[in-house]
Amino acid sequence: MTITLTHYLILSAILFSIGTVGVFLRRNLITVLLSIEIMLNAVNLTFVAAGRHFGQVDGQVIVFFVMTVAAAEAAVGLAIILAIFRHKQSVDLQNINLLRG
């Protein structure tokens, strides 16, 4: 049995679904950030699989850009999480409302 593009796309859809469920159902801000990373990795898998299937390297080039955005998102996201934790002593999304003071 060979692994086809369909197998990669199904795996990518499963990973993206897990990430989406994590974003919508979790309360912890760090878990939400990790779920977004899972979603970005699912997109990366799709780009690489499509590039391999069509014999192009465009998908791999786009993956480098997505990885750059993911690294920046992780750095900025963790800095924001640390600032919120210092101010509110919690990273629970239900307890965070910075507009009310």
Side-chain angles (χ1 to χ4, degrees), residues 11-80:
L11 177 61
S12 179
I14 291 170
L15 285 173
F16 195 84
S17 299
I18 290 170
T20 304
V21 167
V23 167
F24 287 127
L25 296 182
R26 295 295 179 185
R27 292 185 186 176
N28 190 340
L29 197 55
I30 294 173
T31 308
V32 171
L33 194 64
L34 288 173
S35 297
I36 293 171
E37 293 292 328
I38 290 173
M39 292 168 68
L40 288 172
N41 283 329
V43 172
N44 284 343
L45 179 63
T46 301
F47 280 135
V48 169
R52 179 176 173 258
H53 177 72
F54 295 118
Q56 303 283 331
V57 294
D58 296 344
Q60 294 173 0
V61 171
I62 293 173
V63 166
F64 284 115
F65 290 114
V66 173
M67 287 173 61
T68 304
V69 169
E73 176 255 337
V76 171
L78 285 175
I80 291 171

Side-chain angles (χ1 to χ4, degrees), residues 56-101:
Q56 303 283 331
V57 294
D58 296 344
Q60 294 173 0
V61 171
I62 293 173
V63 166
F64 284 115
F65 290 114
V66 173
M67 287 173 61
T68 304
V69 169
E73 176 255 337
V76 171
L78 285 175
I80 291 171
I81 289 171
L82 283 174
I84 290 172
F85 182 76
R86 287 182 183 160
H87 183 67
K88 293 288 187 178
Q89 296 298 318
S90 173
V91 291
D92 188 5
L93 289 175
Q94 300 294 326
N95 298 334
I96 298 172
N97 189 352
L98 296 176
L99 294 178
R100 279 199 251 175

